[in-house]
Structures are given as structure tokens and as C-alpha cells.
């Protein structure tokens, strides 16, 4: 009897020790914790490690790099001379890669048109390159990360149902769905969605603010504003299955809601899409085939658009190396899946997966429709039949990108809110940490029915700033009474329309670097991120070849 009791006690004590050991293994700790798998997260991690800080990157993704490695290879560079620091270093590494003739394995460098966004793709003077293949960008990031002792936990998702460990306004740790406890001193949310920021309790906004909130002009609802070619304009396409018959029902992809009043805010966010990497190289070719659940009726509106005489199908098949494209939205009905993403920013992981799958099916069906439907002009159908998914891209996903282009989700309301007044150079930023220069670029947010029963898109804005502009340090940090050790370089504090310019991948990279420099100084001086001395930060950023102000 005594022996049996001793055995039971021994088993009990062993189980406690095993549990404690398991818990200990599941506890991860570092100076700086970075949540997200975006380009901003990678640059942030590299910067923090280069400063001697222990770093853990917690990535929900298995493939790192966000949109930079997921089809957006035709870089939205803006004024590229204002991209410095590690962001510029990335584009230098792209240049180095393609300097080797052996890397042009499908189409020779001589046949490459060398066209980037408003400038040559290959800049020999600065030794940078601004267009690239997705797998090349991913390989560059992966190799770069190996140069530093950075711990990377992939396919790890923030547990959004479990409260953070927090003391007053300071995050101590968060938990992942797999049960890992992630403890740090400074936390950087570099995700596209801002899930960690939201769980922290920091103020944020989803949707478009009214123009009256920040005294803006281009925010809110913008009916009748046609600044790109992504609208119907002179095309008078009836919205109903039967001409002017509401009883017959609306065509797919048209909202039943009234569009609202110009300048008013709403819950809508600009449209998402996948940036497809297609090719005409037959030896590197996956044919466009009918996707599961395909129904040509879902593209009835596009059929009517073709019948009305529109055909600019291939305008945004932008060339990247080796005979491939970065395919973007163009026209009144294209790759942007307008109105199908409103739930995404706040949705559960399960709901987000549903939205992603619906977007994928929509775009695969779109290509198949253009390739096969008799209402599409013969020449366009023939041209589309020559395109296919690139076999050497996204190999574990049959040539389709892993990352949906989340053009905007949550946006923090922090210590300073960037608005169109900052982007348009009407206000001076006194604490710059990097620069933007791209246009106020918002894609459409809704497709509605006009008074005359015609179809129209709304939300497309494209206004160029007069010159590059500075981004405030305070726009990436929360209010001090909300959180003192969180930095947010992607879902930063910005109005909807200002974010339309800021939200470019090079800017996310340079803000990621600035975020880690800020974190390092907060740790060094044992202070909050809000109380870091800006002049000290400025000096460190300039030393790292960051560019902070516009030079006339």
C-alpha cells in the first residue's frame, strides 16, 4: 500500500515537472517582438538585430514579405530618390541579383523593356532595381534574415480571444493560437490588419472618415470623381438583368445600398485583389482553366461592358523580369473585387479565409471568362489564351499568390494623425522619420446604381502631392495613456485618404526600420516610446541614410 502511494506521488510530481518544462518551452522572450510577416516586419527585424537587440518575428504567414513577395513586383516607388536606409538596400540587392546574366533564365535582359513606375526599372546610377519576380524578393528577404540572429516563428497566429498580459499601459506578453506566450519589452505590430494593435486596446478607425473630421477634401464618399480609368464614365450599362426592371434583380457585384452623400464618412474600405504573376513563356506556364464553382453569370456586367465597346484588358499587365507580369486592376470591372471586403478588417480568421477564397475564385473566374466567353472580342480572347500562371512562382499554391492585397484595414488613431494636409505639403512635420511621395491613391470602395439605373463605381481617387512629404514619428506610436511600448508602422495613424499615399511597400519598409530605431532608443533610455528624444532619433536615422525631409 505504501509503495503504491509512493508511485502515485512520484507520477504526480513527474507530471508537474513535465508540465512546467513544457510551459517553459512554450514561453518566448526577446527585447523586441515583431508581429507580422510583411516587408515592414522583415526590415524592422533586421534593423533591431543590427542594433544588437534580441528579436522574435511572429508571422502568421509561412512565406515572408507580404505584398513585396506576393506579386507586387512593379514597385509603387513614387519619387524613389526619397527612399533611403534599409528600404533602398533591398532594392540594391534586387539590382545585384539581376546583374547576373544567369538569373535571366526565361527571357534575356536585352529583351526586358526596363520600365518601372514613372521611371526606369533598372537604375545603374544608384544601383537599384524596382521591378522583380515574387520568388526573387522572397529569396532576398530569406537570405538577408539569415545574416542576423533573428528568431522567426512562422504560421503563428495571435490569439485574439485571449487577453494580453499587461501592466497599466505596458504590454508584457501576448499568446498565439498554438499556446505560445510571447514576452517582450517593445512590441511592433507590422501586420496589414493591426490585430495586435486592436487587442492592445489602442484607438483605431475602419472605413472612410467624413471630410469634416480633419477638414479634408478627398476623404469620404466621392461620387462622380473620375481621376483614373476605373469607372464607367460614358458607358451607360443598365444595372438589372432585364432593362430598367428592378423586379428582375441587380446584376452580380452591384450593391443594393444607396451610395451616400459626397464627403460623408462610411464603413467602406477600398477594394482588395491578388496581384497575379502571369507569363506567356510556354515552358513556365500553368494554363488558365475553369475554377471550381465558376458561373459566367457572375461576369454578366463585364460582358455588357465589352459589348459596349470597352477593351483595355491588358493595360495593367506590367512587365517584370523573365517574361512575367504584375497584374493590377484596370477599368470599370477588373481585378478589384469591389465591395466584397468590408468585413475583413475586423473579421475572425475563419471569415477572413472565406473572403480570401472568394477573391481568389473571383479573379480566377475573371481570367477564364475573358479567355472563353463569346461576348469578349475575339482578339482579346485569343490574347488571354496566351497567358498562364507562372509555374516557378508560388509553387505550393499552383502559381497563385498567397497574400491578398489588403490595401487598408484598421488605422490607428495615435499621437498624431497624418491627413491630406500633410501629404499635400500644407502642414510641416516637425518630427519626420521617413518620407512618402506617391499619389493619394484610393481604389474604388463601392459599385452602385445611379438614378438612371446605370452602374457606377465610387471611391477612386488619384491626386498627386506637389512634392515628397515627411511622415511624423507620432503617427506610428499610440497615445501615451493607451500603450507605452507599442509601435505601429503599417496600420499607422492616418486618415483614409492620406493612407492612400502612405500605404506603399517601400514606405512600410522604411517605417519598419524607423520603428526599430525608435524601439532601441526607448530601451536604451529606459523610457516609453512616446518619450524618446526626437533629436536623438533623427541623428540615428540620418546616420543610417534615412531621408527625412524634402529638398527643393
Amino acid at each position: 500500500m505504501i509503495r503504491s502511494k509512493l508511485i502515485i506521488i512520484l507520477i504526480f510530481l513527474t507530471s508537474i515537472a513535465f508540465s512546467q518544462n513544457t510551459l517553459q518551452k512554450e514561453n518566448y522572450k526577446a527585447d523586441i517582438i515583431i508581429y507580422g510577416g510583411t516587408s515592414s516586419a522583415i526590415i524592422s527585424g533586421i534593423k533591431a538585430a543590427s542594433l544588437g537587440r534580441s528579436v522574435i518575428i511572429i508571422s502568421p504567414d509561412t512565406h515572408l514579405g507580404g505584398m513585396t513577395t506576393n506579386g507586387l513586383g512593379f514597385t509603387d516607388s513614387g519619387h524613389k530618390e526619397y527612399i533611403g536606409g534599409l528600404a533602398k538596400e533591398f532594392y540594391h540587392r534586387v539590382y545585384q541579383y539581376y546583374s547576373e546574366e544567369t538569373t535571366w533564365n526565361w527571357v534575356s535582359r536585352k529583351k526586358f523593356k526596363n520600365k518601372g513606375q514613372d521611371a526606369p526599372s533598372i537604375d545603374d546610377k544608384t544601383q537599384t532595381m524596382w521591378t522583380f519576380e515574387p520568388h526573387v524578393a522572397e529569396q532576398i528577404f530569406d537570405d538577408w534574415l539569415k545574416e542576423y540572429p533573428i528568431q522567426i516563428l512562422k504560421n503563428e497566429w495571435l490569439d485574439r480571444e485571449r487577453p494580453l498580459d499587461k501592466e497599466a499601459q505596458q504590454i508584457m506578453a501576448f499568446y498565439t493560437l498554438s499556446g505560445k506566450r510571447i514576452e517582450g519589452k517593445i512590441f511592433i505590430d507590422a501586420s496589414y490588419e493591426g490585430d495586435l494593435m486592436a487587442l492592445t486596446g489602442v484607438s483605431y478607425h475602419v472605413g472612410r472618415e467624413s471630410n469634416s473630421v480633419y477638414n479634408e477634401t478627398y476623404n469620404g464618399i466621392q461620387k462622380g470623381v473620375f481621376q483614373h480609368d476605373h469607372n464607367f464614365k460614358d458607358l451607360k450599362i443598365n444595372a438589372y438583368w432585364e432593362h430598367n426592371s428592378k423586379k428582375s434583380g441587380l446584376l452580380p457585384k452591384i450593391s443594393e445600398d444607396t451610395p451616400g452623400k459626397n464627403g460623408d464618412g462610411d464603413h467602406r474600405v477600398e477594394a482588395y485583389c491578388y496581384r497575379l504573376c502571369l507569363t506567356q513563356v510556354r515552358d513556365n506556364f500553368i494554363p488558365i482553366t475553369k475554377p471550381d464553382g465558376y458561373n459566367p453569370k457572375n461576369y454578366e456586367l463585364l460582358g455588357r461592358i465589352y459589348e459596349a465597346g470597352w477593351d483595355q484588358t491588358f493595360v495593367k499587365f506590367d512587365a517584370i523580369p523573365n517574361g512575367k507580369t504584375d497584374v493590377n486592376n484596370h477599368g470599370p470591372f477588373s481585378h478589384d473585387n469591389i465591395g466584397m471586403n468590408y468585413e475583413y478588417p475586423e473579421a475572425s480568421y475563419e471569415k477572413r479565409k472565406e473572403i480570401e477564397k472568394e477573391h481568389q475564385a473571383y479573379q480566377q473566374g475573371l481570367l477564364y471568362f475573358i479567355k472563353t466567353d463569346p461576348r469578349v472580342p475575339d482578339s482579346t480572347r485569343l490574347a488571354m489564351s496566351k497567358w498562364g500562371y507562372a509555374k516557378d512562382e508560388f509553387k505550393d499554391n499552383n502559381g497563385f499568390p498567397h497574400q491578398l492585397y489588403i490595401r487598408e484595414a484598421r488605422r490607428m488613431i495615435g499621437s498624431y494623425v497624418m491627413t491630406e494636409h500633410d501629404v499635400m505639403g500644407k502642414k510641416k512635420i516637425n518630427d519626420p522619420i521617413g518620407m512618402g511621395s506617391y499619389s493619394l491613391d484610393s481604389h474604388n470602395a463601392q459599385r452602385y446604381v445611379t438614378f438612371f439605373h446605370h452602374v457606377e463605381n465610387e471611391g477612386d481617387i488619384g491626386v498627386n502631392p506637389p512634392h515628397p512629404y515627411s511622415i511624423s514619428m507620432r503617427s506610428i506610436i499610440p497615445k501615451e495613456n493607451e500603450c507605452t511600448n507599442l509601435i505601429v508602422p503599417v496600420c499607422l495613424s492616418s486618415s483614409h485618404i492620406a493612407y492612400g499615399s502612405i500605404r506603399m511597400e517601400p514606405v512600410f519598409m522604411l517605417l519598419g526600420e524607423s520603428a526599430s530605431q525608435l524601439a532601441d532608443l526607448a530601451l536604451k533610455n529606459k523610457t516609453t516610446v512616446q518619450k524618446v528624444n526626437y533629436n536623438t532619433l533623427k541623428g540615428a536615422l540620418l546616420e543610417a541614410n534615412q531621408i527625412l525631409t524634402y529638398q527643393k
Side-chain angles (χ1 to χ4, degrees):
M1 179 67 73
I2 295 173
R3 185 179 179 185
S4 297
K5 288 182 177 179
L6 287 172
I7 291 173
I8 291 170
I9 292 170
L10 181 61
I11 292 172
F12 176 71
L13 291 174
T14 302
S15 67
I16 291 175
F18 177 79
S19 298
Q20 288 177 337
N21 186 47
T22 301
L23 288 171
Q24 182 67 29
K25 286 182 179 179
E26 293 300 303
N27 190 72
Y28 293 78
K29 184 177 181 179
D31 293 333
I32 298 174
I33 304 296
I34 300 164
Y35 185 71
T38 64
S39 61
S40 184
I42 293 171
I43 295 298
S44 183
I46 290 169
K47 181 64 176 183
S50 73
L51 293 170
R53 296 296 175 183
S54 57
V55 186
I56 304 176
I57 297 177
I58 311 295
S59 172
D61 309 302
T62 54
H63 295 273
L64 299 176
M67 287 308 300
T68 298
T69 61
N70 274 276
L72 210 168
F74 193 73
T75 305
D76 299 314
S77 55
H79 292 261
K80 59 189 181 184
E81 63 271 23
Y82 284 89
I83 298 168
L86 295 180
K88 185 177 181 181
E89 170 65 17
F90 169 77
Y91 297 104
H92 172 61
R93 290 183 179 225
V94 173
Y95 177 89
Q96 289 181 310
Y97 176 87
Y98 285 109
S99 294
E100 300 292 333
E101 287 297 328
T102 55
T103 60
W104 299 83
N105 54 328
W106 296 115
V107 176
S108 69
R109 179 170 178 165
K110 291 180 180 178
K111 292 184 178 180
F112 183 56
K113 292 182 179 179
N114 196 26
K115 181 182 182 299
Q117 286 258 17
D118 301 317
S121 165
I122 303 171
D123 187 340
D124 290 320
K125 183 178 180 181
T126 61
Q127 294 194 342
T128 54
M129 186 167 172
W130 303 87
T131 62
F132 45 83
E133 299 160 273
H135 78 274
V136 170
E138 184 174 358
Q139 188 61 57
I140 288 170
F141 277 141
D142 288 347
D143 291 344
W144 200 355
L145 286 165
K146 290 174 185 176
E147 297 175 16
Y148 298 92
I150 301 170
Q151 189 170 13
I152 304 170
L153 303 180
K154 297 180 180 180
N155 197 27
E156 288 289 346
W157 299 76
L158 174 70
D159 189 339
R160 295 160 62 191
E161 303 299 321
R162 186 171 182 176
L164 302 168
D165 290 347
K166 198 173 178 184
E167 292 182 4
Q169 282 73 47
Q170 186 174 3
I171 308 168
M172 306 306 293
F174 65 79
Y175 297 85
T176 66
L177 290 179
S178 67
K180 294 179 176 61
R181 183 177 185 271
I182 312 297
E183 181 181 346
K185 298 174 183 177
I186 302 285
F187 293 80
I188 297 174
D189 185 341
S191 68
Y192 289 127
E193 295 84 2
D195 286 337
L196 178 58
M197 173 192 72
L199 189 61
T200 304
V202 167
S203 300
Y204 63 87
H205 186 83
V206 176
R208 300 182 287 188
E209 299 93 346
S210 166
N211 271 326
S212 62
V213 174
Y214 300 116
N215 193 29
E216 294 177 298
T217 302
Y218 303 109
N219 211 335
I221 298 163
Q222 299 282 325
K223 299 192 304 291
V225 178
F226 304 140
Q227 295 176 331
H228 287 125
D229 290 324
H230 311 318
N231 297 277
F232 288 79
K233 297 184 181 179
D234 296 329
L235 295 176
K236 306 302 181 185
I237 309 297
N238 197 266
Y240 301 99
W241 282 103
E242 296 178 12
H243 189 74
N244 289 343
S245 172
K246 291 185 179 181
K247 289 183 180 179
S248 68
L250 287 169
L251 301 181
K253 303 295 181 182
I254 303 173
S255 174
E256 297 178 353
D257 298 334
T258 56
K261 181 183 176 183
N262 273 18
D264 283 357
D266 61 12
H267 65 288
R268 300 177 179 101
V269 292
E270 59 179 307
Y272 300 166
C273 70
Y274 287 93
R275 298 290 283 259
L276 304 183
C277 184
L278 304 182
T279 184
Q280 293 183 323
V281 179
R282 286 287 162 171
D283 290 339
N284 190 35
F285 191 91
I286 301 173
I288 294 167
T289 56
K290 182 192 292 187
D292 293 341
Y294 172 77
N295 185 347
K297 290 184 178 180
N298 291 331
Y299 305 94
E300 173 67 22
L301 181 55
L302 179 57
R304 295 185 185 186
I305 290 168
Y306 277 121
E307 289 173 337
W310 179 91
D311 192 1
Q312 298 178 17
T313 305
F314 303 105
V315 168
K316 285 301 293 177
F317 277 47
D318 293 312
I320 60 175
N322 279 311
K324 300 174 187 175
T325 66
D326 168 357
V327 177
N328 198 4
N329 180 79
H330 180 79
F333 190 105
S334 184
H335 291 270
D336 279 0
N337 197 4
I338 299 171
M340 302 304 294
N341 61 343
Y342 300 153
E343 292 182 76
Y344 185 93
E346 302 269 41
S348 66
Y349 293 136
E350 292 76 14
K351 182 62 179 177
R352 286 180 183 168
K353 285 294 180 186
E354 289 178 17
I355 293 170
E356 289 165 1
K357 287 180 180 178
E358 194 276 335
H359 277 68
Q360 178 172 343
Y362 166 73
Q363 285 184 256
Q364 289 175 328
L366 177 75
L367 294 182
Y368 186 73
F369 180 91
I370 297 171
K371 178 182 175 181
T372 62
D373 198 274
R375 286 169 294 181
V376 179
D378 291 345
S379 59
T380 302
R381 280 189 283 127
L382 177 62
M384 183 58 79
S385 69
K386 296 178 181 179
W387 289 99
Y389 303 100
K391 191 185 298 184
D392 62 348
E393 300 292 349
F394 319 116
K395 292 181 180 180
D396 57 352
N397 202 34
N398 202 32
F400 202 88
H402 307 102
Q403 173 70 56
L404 180 63
Y405 193 178
I406 310 304
R407 288 189 171 95
E408 66 173 338
R410 300 181 179 97
R411 299 186 308 280
M412 181 170 63
I413 303 174
S415 299
Y416 184 86
V417 180
M418 294 288 295
T419 70
E420 71 177 52
H421 305 293
D422 301 298
V423 175
M424 299 302 287
K426 295 178 181 178
K427 290 177 67 177
K428 182 180 179 181
I429 296 295
N430 295 317
D431 55 353
I433 56 169
M435 301 196 71
S437 62
Y438 206 78
S439 65
L440 294 164
D441 181 25
S442 173
H443 285 231
N444 283 304
Q446 63 175 323
R447 178 177 288 132
Y448 67 97
V449 184
T450 70
F451 177 80
F452 298 103
H453 298 172
H454 297 141
V455 189
E456 191 50 270
N457 298 334
E458 181 277 316
D460 178 60
I461 299 294
V463 178
N464 289 318
H467 54 70
Y469 59 90
S470 298
I471 299 171
S472 169
M473 177 186 82
R474 290 164 292 157
S475 71
I476 67 169
I477 55 179
K479 299 170 185 174
E480 193 165 17
N481 63 350
E482 293 183 342
C483 190
T484 59
N485 66 335
L486 174 69
I487 309 174
V488 185
V490 176
C491 293
L492 72 161
S493 182
S494 168
S495 71
H496 156 77
I497 196 59
Y499 195 74
S501 173
I502 296 169
R503 62 171 181 83
M504 305 304 157
E505 289 290 295
V507 178
F508 286 158
M509 290 188 212
L510 62 88
L511 291 179
E513 177 177 3
S514 296
S516 283
Q517 185 67 71
L518 175 62
D520 175 70
L521 290 174
L523 292 171
K524 187 178 294 183
N525 295 296
K526 298 180 180 179
T527 189
T528 67
V529 295
Q530 289 85 3
K531 290 181 178 175
V532 167
N533 180 275
Y534 172 70
N535 286 330
T536 305
L537 175 61
K538 176 182 177 181
L541 294 177
L542 291 174
E543 188 175 344
N545 297 314
Q546 284 267 41
I547 302 169
L548 305 182
T549 55
Y550 171 65
Q551 302 296 322
K552 295 181 180 180

